[in-house]
Amino acid sequence: MATLLACLLHASPVAAQPVTIYRCTDAAGVLTVQNKPCPAGSTQREQQMQGVPSSLSGASAPPASTTAPAAAAPANAPQPDDTPIFLSAPAQAAPPQAGAGREFVTTSTGPEPRILDSANLPRTPAADTAPPDPDRPPPPPLFRCATYDNDSYLSEEQEVPPRCLPLRTVGLDGNPAAGAGRACEVVRDQCSRVPDGAACDAWRRYAREAETRWRFAHPDNVEKRQAEYDRLAKIVSTSCGG
């Protein structure tokens, strides 16, 4: 009997039992990790995990303690069960839409090509805009012209020269490759005077566009473009205070 007891005391620990973990994904994409098979309608993925090894009773008995034994759990205390533990994957925020909250003003061609710059972006007028100085002379009239394709540009002339838009020509048999001669359609832009209350803002924008044409001009046209910008900048400074 003594020999059998000694063998039990020195016996090796019981081998650990594997544990099966179930990863369940429902139709809404919510991930759940539990120790029971997934419910119907979910995508199930099983994963084997190594359990914790245990020893025979009494093989590693703790030494005697002089502290008082812990109080017994009350009769109505909740008992552990096999209720699955649900871990919901955090919701991901939707990415911001490109271009949200920003609007751009389209540009095209008026009497001459224009370059898109900050002058063509919408601007919020300052809340503390100073009233016009009565001692300053009013700016010259400026006109806003609308093109046939719903674009617009500023001009110092109310009657701008007409433009001729090229048309496609074809041969007598309708073949575009056999077209002979050239044809165009004459279009006229409709211009209206900028109101006096918005004249200074329009002149500032008109000067900025001239500055852009000057700074990006071909070397042969730099002198001409700079002189045009200097003229407009002087008008803005004299009538609108810069």
Side-chain angles (χ1 to χ4, degrees), residues 138-162:
L142 194 63
F143 301 90
R144 185 178 302 277
C145 303
T147 63
Y148 76 99
D149 54 354
N150 296 324
D151 196 9
S152 64
Y153 61 91
L154 296 171
S155 173
E156 297 179 63
E157 302 293 336
Q158 185 174 8
E159 296 293 336
V160 296

Side-chain angles (χ1 to χ4, degrees), residues 8 32 36 39 41 45 55-57 67 105 107 121 123 132 135 139 154 181 188 204 224 230:
L8 292 176
T32 303
K36 288 186 176 182
R45 178 184 174 188
S55 303
L56 291 175
S57 175
T67 59
V105 178
T107 61
L121 299 179
R123 298 173 180 268
D135 296 334
L154 296 171
R188 299 181 183 274
R204 293 187 183 98
K224 174 184 175 182
D230 291 341

Side-chain angles (χ1 to χ4, degrees), residues 36-196:
K36 288 186 176 182
C38 301
S42 301
T43 302
Q44 175 175 300
R45 178 184 174 188
E46 301 179 11
Q47 182 178 355
Q48 297 290 333
M49 301 184 64
Q50 186 66 27
V52 180
S54 59
S55 303
L56 291 175
S57 175
S60 56
S65 175
T66 57
T67 59
N76 59 351
Q79 299 298 323
D81 55 11
D82 294 334
T83 302
I85 302 175
F86 297 94
L87 301 177
S88 300
Q92 297 182 354
Q97 298 181 356
R102 299 186 64 187
E103 296 181 356
F104 294 91
V105 178
T106 59
T107 61
S108 181
T109 57
E112 57 183 335
R114 292 185 291 146
I115 300 176
L116 176 64
D117 70 336
S118 59
N120 296 320
L121 299 179
R123 298 173 180 268
T124 302
D128 55 348
T129 302
D133 189 349
D135 296 334
R136 294 183 181 275
L142 194 63
F143 301 90
R144 185 178 302 277
C145 303
T147 63
Y148 76 99
D149 54 354
N150 296 324
D151 196 9
S152 64
Y153 61 91
L154 296 171
S155 173
E156 297 179 63
E157 302 293 336
Q158 185 174 8
E159 296 293 336
V160 296
R163 289 179 290 150
C164 192
L165 301 180
L167 298 177
R168 186 179 184 183
T169 60
V170 297
L172 295 177
D173 58 350
N175 184 3
R182 292 183 300 176
C184 66
E185 177 186 2
V186 177
V187 295
R188 299 181 183 274
D189 300 336
Q190 302 298 321
C191 301
S192 58
R193 181 172 176 173
V194 176
D196 293 340

